[in-house]
């Protein structure tokens, strides 16, 4: 514990900024004494009306050596999205009650939620001789993949039998698909801790069309944080769409337009670039490119209908949120970003009156996107690797069979082995 960590936590509590308190605890909870952590969490929980977490915090403060109270506090933290605050309490609970399977699995789950996958693997493997297949060894394999330890994942997957409980069948199938995609990607990509495109494919089955060069090795490793989009970026993505389609052997007969304005604009532009007719989206339509500017803008029921992939159907998303990914993973994503606006939306600017949205008809804006000069390929430099169309085509061709074999668009909530500044 450092005094400055605790003092800062109480300063934020006194300021009433609960979000800031919890952001601070994400990086400092493990350095605080559990009693101090409990008191800070209690105050923060009280401010937002999380009564169960308040109660669990007070109960632990009253019995700080109780393995049960430590577990209950950790469980309540996880339930409210604060696994980082749960971990120190669960570690201590397991120390005091080492035979508790419930505490053991809850701690593994907390590590996974915080994307501390290596620690989850170490914890699970420390009890290898007594692991049950489901969910224990499944969690070991899954976290090994997310930690980038494919050798361990494959070794443990061989030991994992197909589940007798049908509720686990999806999870078993997802693991098998991830490892199959890793075999395909390893032939054409390094799959190291800077290979964002390779790991995006392993974890989701989607192809990432562009890699951001900004702050590559210092913070973002190919992703964007806050991103003001441009017609040139949209056009670059549309140019890379047919490149991926050609490399994978996909031959769509139409472009399907979703209902939100951004997707219709980009869909009309895509139809022009591809020379295909634009048709309204219909669930299950085969041999079509479904175009989304941002899946977060698409109606929930429509997104659900895209989970299963129809034969020859390609889901193309321009801007994919990587910090809170949509429920389905696109077959092709142009870029990964945390937040941002489309070229036709209100622009990101310090002036609250500036950057008014473009209210012109969708077809006019789409024509401007088609006419735009595409953003240039990044040739590579000392900070960021090259990102050219030729490299994308080589990757897509190398994984084409595995990409085409994808039948469901399962999303992965973790960033996997390619860590950003958010989790460092």
């Amino acid at each position: 514990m450092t005094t400055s960590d605790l003092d800062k936590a109480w300063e934020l509590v006194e300021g009433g900024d609960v979000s800031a308190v919890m952001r601070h605890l994400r990086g400092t909870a493990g350095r605080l004494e559990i009693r101090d952590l409990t008191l800070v969490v209690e105050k923060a929980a009280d401010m937002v009306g999380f009564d169960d977490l308040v109660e669990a915090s007070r109960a632990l403060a009253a019995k700080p050596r109780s393995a049960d109270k430590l577990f209950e506090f950790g469980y309540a933290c996880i339930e409210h999205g604060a696994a980082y605050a749960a971990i120190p309490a669960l570690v201590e609970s397991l120390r005091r009650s080492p035979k508790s399977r419930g505490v053991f699995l809850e701690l593994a789950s907390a590590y996974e939620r915080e994307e501390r996958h290596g620690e989850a693997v170490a914890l699970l493997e420390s009890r290898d001789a007594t692991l049950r297949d489901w969910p224990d060894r499944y969690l070991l394999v899954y976290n090994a993949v997310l930690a980038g330890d494919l050798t361990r994942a494959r070794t443990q997957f061989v030991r994992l039998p197909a589940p007798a409980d049908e509720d686990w069948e999806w999870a078993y199938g997802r693991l098998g698909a991830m490892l199959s995609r890793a075999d395909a990607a390893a032939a054409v990509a390094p799959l190291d801790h800077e290979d964002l495109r390779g790991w995006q494919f392993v974890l989701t089955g989607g192809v990432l069309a562009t890699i951001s060069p900004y702050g590559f090795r210092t913070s973002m490793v190919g992703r964007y944080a806050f991103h003001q989009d441009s017609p040139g970026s949209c056009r670059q993505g549309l140019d890379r769409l047919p490149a991926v389609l050609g490399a994978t052997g996909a031959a769509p007969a139409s472009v399907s337009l979703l209902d939100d304005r951004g997707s219709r604009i980009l869909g009309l532009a895509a139809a022009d670039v591809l020379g295909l007719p634009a048709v309204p989206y219909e669930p299950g339509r085969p041999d079509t490119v479904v175009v989304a500017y941002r899946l977060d803008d698409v109606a929930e029921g429509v997104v659900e209908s895209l989970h299963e992939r129809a034969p020859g159907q390609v889901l193309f998303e321009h801007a994919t949120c990587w910090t809170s990914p949509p429920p389905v993973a696109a077959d092709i994503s142009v870029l990964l970003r945390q937040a941002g606006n489309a070229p036709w939306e209100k622009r990101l600017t310090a002036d609250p009156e500036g950057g008014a949205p473009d209210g012109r008809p969708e077809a006019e804006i789409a024509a401007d996107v088609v006419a735009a000069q595409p953003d240039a390929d990044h040739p590579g430099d000392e900070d960021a690797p090259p990102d050219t169309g030729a490299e994308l085509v080589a990757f897509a061709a190398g994984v084409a069979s595995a990409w085409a074999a994808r039948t469901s668009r399962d999303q992965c909530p973790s960033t996997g082995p390619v860590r950003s500044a958010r989790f460092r």
Side-chain angles (χ1 to χ4, degrees):
M1 182 198 76
T2 66
T3 302
S4 59
D5 289 335
L6 183 57
D7 288 346
K8 182 62 176 179
W10 281 116
E11 176 187 327
L12 294 170
V13 168
E14 292 300 321
D17 190 341
V18 176
S19 295
V21 174
M22 304 318 284
R23 285 196 300 271
H24 176 68
L25 290 180
R26 182 182 290 279
T28 62
R31 299 197 295 266
L32 299 178
E33 297 291 340
I34 288 179
R35 182 179 181 279
D36 292 327
L37 172 63
T38 301
L39 294 173
V40 171
V41 170
E42 178 193 341
K43 292 295 184 183
D46 188 47
M47 284 190 282
V48 291
F50 292 164
D51 295 339
D52 59 329
L53 184 52
V54 171
E55 181 179 345
S57 300
R58 289 175 178 168
L60 178 56
K63 295 183 177 181
R65 297 182 180 180
S66 167
D68 288 343
K69 300 306 178 187
L70 286 160
F71 172 78
E72 290 165 6
F73 171 79
Y75 183 86
C77 286
I78 290 174
E79 287 294 289
H80 291 288
Y84 46 87
I87 288 171
L90 293 172
V91 168
E92 180 62 15
S93 179
L94 190 61
R95 189 184 73 82
R96 292 179 177 275
S97 183
K99 294 183 179 181
S100 173
R101 173 175 157 81
V103 176
F104 169 71
L105 290 178
E106 200 68 23
L107 178 56
S109 175
Y111 280 139
E112 180 182 310
R113 289 177 187 233
E114 281 304 294
E115 302 200 15
R116 293 164 62 171
H117 301 297
E119 290 170 89
V121 168
L123 173 67
L124 291 158
E125 202 163 51
S126 71
R127 302 195 178 192
D128 183 80
T130 59
L131 288 182
R132 300 180 186 179
D133 292 325
W134 296 91
D136 310 21
R137 197 168 304 281
Y138 157 75
L139 291 173
L140 174 53
V141 180
Y142 182 57
N143 279 279
V145 172
L146 298 183
D149 191 346
L150 291 171
T151 298
R152 179 174 275 105
R154 291 186 179 103
T155 298
Q156 292 289 349
F157 186 67
V158 170
R159 300 173 62 189
L160 182 66
D165 185 344
E166 64 180 14
D167 289 344
W168 288 106
E169 289 178 359
W170 170 82
Y172 186 68
R174 178 176 66 165
L175 278 182
M178 284 181 171
L179 292 173
S180 293
R181 292 194 294 262
D183 290 340
V188 289
L191 289 184
D192 58 21
H193 291 271
E194 290 186 346
D195 185 10
L196 185 63
R197 177 174 288 141
W199 281 108
Q200 176 77 3
F201 181 72
V202 172
L203 299 184
T204 71
V207 170
L208 180 61
T210 65
I211 304 293
S212 168
Y214 302 110
F216 186 89
R217 291 196 169 92
T218 59
S219 57
M220 302 308 295
V221 202
R223 308 172 180 91
Y224 292 90
F226 295 95
H227 172 257
Q228 174 57 61
D229 211 348
S230 68
S233 170
C234 291
R235 179 62 212 233
Q236 181 188 35
L238 293 178
D239 282 352
R240 292 197 169 190
L241 169 58
V244 174
L245 295 177
T248 56
S254 64
V255 170
S256 291
L257 304 180
L258 297 168
D259 284 342
D260 64 285
R261 177 173 169 82
S263 296
R264 288 196 303 270
I265 290 170
L266 196 63
L268 290 171
D272 193 337
V273 169
L274 295 173
L276 295 174
V279 298
Y281 169 73
E282 292 182 4
R285 184 195 296 273
D287 301 320
T288 190
V289 180
V290 182
V291 174
Y293 176 77
R294 181 174 48 213
L295 280 169
D296 289 341
D297 296 337
V298 179
E300 181 179 351
V302 174
V303 173
E304 291 175 356
S305 74
L306 287 164
H307 180 259
E308 298 304 316
R309 187 181 187 185
Q313 186 190 77
V314 177
L315 175 58
F316 173 85
E317 182 182 23
H318 179 78
T320 299
C321 181
W322 63 272
T323 53
S324 182
V328 300
D331 302 308
I332 303 171
S333 292
V334 174
L335 56 89
L336 301 182
R337 72 183 185 191
Q338 182 173 357
N341 289 349
W344 46 86
E345 296 174 330
K346 181 178 174 65
R347 296 183 65 81
L348 298 173
T349 173
D351 180 3
E353 303 300 323
D358 188 340
R360 290 181 299 155
E362 294 159 1
E364 289 187 23
I365 302 174
D368 284 351
V369 170
V370 173
Q373 180 68 30
D375 284 1
D377 289 353
H378 187 264
D381 55 32
E382 61 184 16
D383 182 60
D387 177 39
T388 67
E391 288 183 317
L392 172 63
V393 166
F395 177 83
V399 301
S401 295
W403 180 83
R406 185 188 192 208
T407 57
S408 60
R409 299 184 173 103
D410 299 323
Q411 185 57 270
C412 180
S414 172
T415 57
V418 184
R419 310 290 282 173
S420 74
R422 180 171 178 244
F423 291 104
R424 289 178 179 173

